[in-house]
Amino acid sequence: MHASRRNFLMGAAALSAAVVTPETVRAMAAMQAAADWALATADLEADVAPRAMRLVHGRAPAGLTGTLFRNGPGKFRRPGGSATHWFDGDGLMRAFRVHEGQVTFEARFADTPKRRWETEIDAVVTPGFGTAGDARARIGSNDDANAANTAVMVAGDEVWALWEAGSPMAMSASDLSTRRFVTLRDDLKGMPFQAHPRYDPDGTVWNIGLNGDKAVVWHLNADRSLRTAAVIDLPRASYMHDFTATARHLILVLQPWVFDHRGMPYASQFAWRPELGTRVLVIDKADLSRRRIFELPAFSYFHLGDAWEDGSGTIRFDVAAARDVDFAIDGARILVEQRGVVPGEHAVLNLITLHTDGRAEMVASGITAEFPKSDPRRAGLPRRLTAHVAGERPDRPLPNGLATWDWDTGRSDRFLFGDSQIVEEAVFVPKPGATAEADAWLVAPSINLAEGVTELHAFEAARVADGPVASWRADVALPAGFHGVWAG
């Protein structure tokens, strides 16, 4: 079936780690005039021109060469009205360029129609995931509301800034200047292309776009041209920020956060119905009409790890799972308010196993985790390691460390910076010529709250607990980003 853009709903990006707060901590923290983690959602008022970062710890690893591109919201507040939710800030693309031990970084806002109009009137008026907007908004299509603020994928000499409910925004990989919205086929203009594409070993790309109980399934060639696009029916209309895939199957996890009514902001359309449980839809990549459904207890999530399957057809994948959607509704709002206590239970890393006889199992690691990432050389293939941010506590809404979890041994390898740092998502960077899963670096930025600046860190994936092997420091702080990709 050919995809059509008719009736596709406007949506918005979503992600983050989630936390729960005891009442005693809640009462004390609510009295804060401003949170000491407020730099995470501080406004950046202008682009940041390329500048050097200073090596402040360790020695730059030989062979670490390439660019970490990252995306996330960079401006929330304007005099005539502000975004009221973390997921609705203007998209800010960052580039950390590593060469011969030296690091430079730069940041530029995606020049979207939304940002241009709101800059002109000096007010945030466009509805989003958690921001209601108002009558001054100019919305004739999905992309008029596109914040281009969630993730990034590399496409030749471009990077594509990804959102939840509209087109990728092409930006120059060399200077981050905005070029255009990407239209993969004329009759698909403006169709949702979500923020978490999945990559096959041959370089082809799978992604989905949601519209209630239907989804468009995108399949791109390695050069990012369109191979196929088709619309499929879903068992129910659930909010879905991420999906995963094995070499043979697409896996869509339908949490019991289900469509209830139309309205704005986008998140207000959904109701949390844990009695419905979680359903997992497995789709054959070679024939999208071939599918299986598995049943699991209720959980909420934003992020899944790469899936894999063994010779018997048993499928496994990890998920950062929580018990409710309090963070998505209220926690991310309080982060933008920059004061008080952030509600919602923080996510725990779980492994889901889908057996060939129809049984499904979910086993918790017991480790608080978000942003699960794995070796890109093993996308869709068997693996044992998951990298993730760590260190969230009931009294701290954001992570302060990095860890790997070994699914074979059940061991965590963790390093915490302490409360002076907010650590962002890490990416695996394979070492040149190496093939073993742990023969890689983990590269992640952080916000150094004590110094008021952004830093970049490189860890040995095999020895995270030893701490970073090298750290570089900028002279300014960027707000916390969401997702990134390594090009090199």
Side-chain angles (χ1 to χ4, degrees):
M1 180 185 298
H2 289 293
S4 167
R5 63 178 186 269
R6 180 180 301 170
N7 294 326
F8 265 70
L9 300 176
M10 186 179 71
L15 74 98
S16 183
V19 296
V20 64
T21 305
E23 288 300 321
T24 53
V25 176
R26 186 187 304 271
M28 294 176 61
M31 296 174 62
Q32 292 178 328
D36 57 0
W37 38 259
L39 276 178
T41 59
D43 287 327
L44 190 68
E45 298 300 336
D47 297 341
V48 178
R51 61 188 67 196
M53 299 183 74
R54 179 169 56 94
L55 183 68
V56 293
H57 170 77
R59 177 180 297 178
L64 179 61
T65 298
T67 302
L68 173 63
F69 293 102
R70 283 186 54 77
N71 195 2
K75 184 171 176 59
F76 306 89
R77 303 163 192 89
R78 296 184 184 274
S82 299
T84 58
H85 196 282
W86 192 21
F87 305 159
D88 295 331
D90 291 342
L92 179 72
M93 188 66 70
R94 298 98 157 148
F96 298 86
R97 305 184 194 275
V98 185
H99 181 69
E100 295 183 349
Q102 305 297 312
V103 178
T104 62
F105 89 103
E106 61 200 279
R108 293 186 75 168
F109 284 99
D111 186 23
T112 62
K114 171 188 182 298
R115 178 170 168 82
R116 289 197 299 271
W117 172 237
E118 292 179 341
T119 299
E120 180 179 338
I121 64 173
D122 211 8
V124 177
V125 297
T126 308
F129 182 86
T131 300
D134 65 36
R136 293 172 289 173
R138 289 182 173 179
I139 303 177
S141 70
N142 287 357
D143 286 333
D144 288 334
N146 194 332
N149 70 355
T150 308
V152 54
M153 61 184 289
V154 176
D157 66 349
E158 297 178 338
V159 290
W160 291 359
L162 305 181
W163 189 56
E164 290 296 278
S167 307
M169 172 65 86
M171 306 175 72
S172 167
S174 62
D175 67 6
L176 305 185
S177 58
T178 297
R179 294 182 172 177
R180 70 195 180 284
F181 281 123
V182 176
T183 299
L184 293 167
R185 201 171 70 201
D186 287 345
D187 63 317
L188 304 179
K189 185 177 181 179
M191 291 275 280
F193 187 92
Q194 286 196 286
H196 287 285
R198 295 289 172 176
Y199 301 86
D200 278 348
D202 63 0
T204 60
V205 182
W206 294 86
N207 203 358
I208 61 169
L210 290 182
N211 172 40
D213 61 357
K214 298 184 183 298
V216 56
V217 177
W218 302 95
H219 191 194
L220 277 57
N221 296 306
D223 66 0
R224 305 311 189 243
S225 62
L226 181 64
R227 179 175 294 188
T228 61
V231 171
I232 63 171
D233 294 321
L234 302 177
R236 69 182 179 212
S238 294
Y239 175 75
M240 191 188 317
H241 173 72
D242 197 0
F243 78 107
T244 189
T246 70
R248 296 171 47 210
H249 294 97
L250 307 176
I251 300 161
L252 279 62
V253 179
L254 307 174
Q255 61 186 321
W257 197 17
V258 296
F259 179 78
D260 182 70
H261 64 276
R262 296 189 184 278
M264 282 294 161
Y266 180 71
S268 69
Q269 301 182 45
F270 295 88
W272 178 243
R273 299 278 304 281
E275 69 274 12
L276 298 178
T278 298
R279 309 186 81 181
V280 182
L281 176 63
V282 177
I283 304 169
D284 191 325
K285 287 180 175 179
D287 180 355
L288 300 183
S289 67
R290 297 180 60 186
R291 57 186 62 190
R292 292 173 289 160
I293 295 177
F294 297 81
E295 303 285 345
L296 284 167
F299 63 88
S300 71
Y301 78 99
F302 284 120
H303 300 112
L304 307 171
D306 284 320
W308 71 96
E309 54 191 300
D310 60 25
S312 72
T314 299
I315 294 172
R316 294 178 173 86
F317 62 94
D318 39 8
V319 56
R323 291 195 301 186
D324 55 44
V325 293
D326 286 355
F327 177 84
I329 300 299
D330 292 320
R333 173 182 54 80
I334 291 175
L335 283 182
V336 174
E337 293 177 358
Q338 298 184 323
R339 66 182 65 219
V341 174
V342 178
E345 179 167 323
H346 34 303
V348 172
L349 194 65
N350 283 253
L351 184 68
I352 292 175
T353 302
L354 308 178
H355 297 279
T356 56
D357 62 4
R359 292 180 297 115
E361 297 175 340
M362 184 170 176
V363 177
S365 67
I367 299 296
T368 297
E370 251 297 359
F371 301 145
K373 300 288 284 188
S374 56
D375 181 357
R377 297 166 296 185
R378 289 166 170 77
L381 304 175
R383 62 179 173 86
R384 63 183 179 87
L385 292 179
T386 297
H388 59 88
V389 295
E392 295 161 285
R393 305 192 311 269
D395 60 331
R396 298 290 294 179
L398 296 165
N400 65 17
L402 188 65
T404 58
W405 177 261
D406 189 322
W407 292 108
D408 286 350
T409 65
R411 295 180 60 187
S412 176
D413 185 22
R414 185 177 74 161
F415 178 83
L416 301 181
F417 285 96
D419 290 349
S420 65
Q421 296 266 11
I422 294 171
V423 178
E424 302 181 48
E425 176 196 72
V427 297
F428 266 82
V429 181
K431 295 181 178 180
T435 58
E437 189 173 358
D439 285 341
W441 297 288
L442 299 177
V443 179
S446 71
I447 304 172
N448 186 320
L449 301 174
E451 299 292 334
V453 296
T454 288
E455 296 183 341
L456 185 71
H457 309 282
F459 291 77
E460 289 278 356
R463 297 187 302 277
V464 175
D466 291 348
V469 296
S471 297
W472 296 267
R473 181 174 295 169
D475 58 353
V476 298
L478 301 178
F482 288 158
H483 297 295
V485 66
W486 181 265

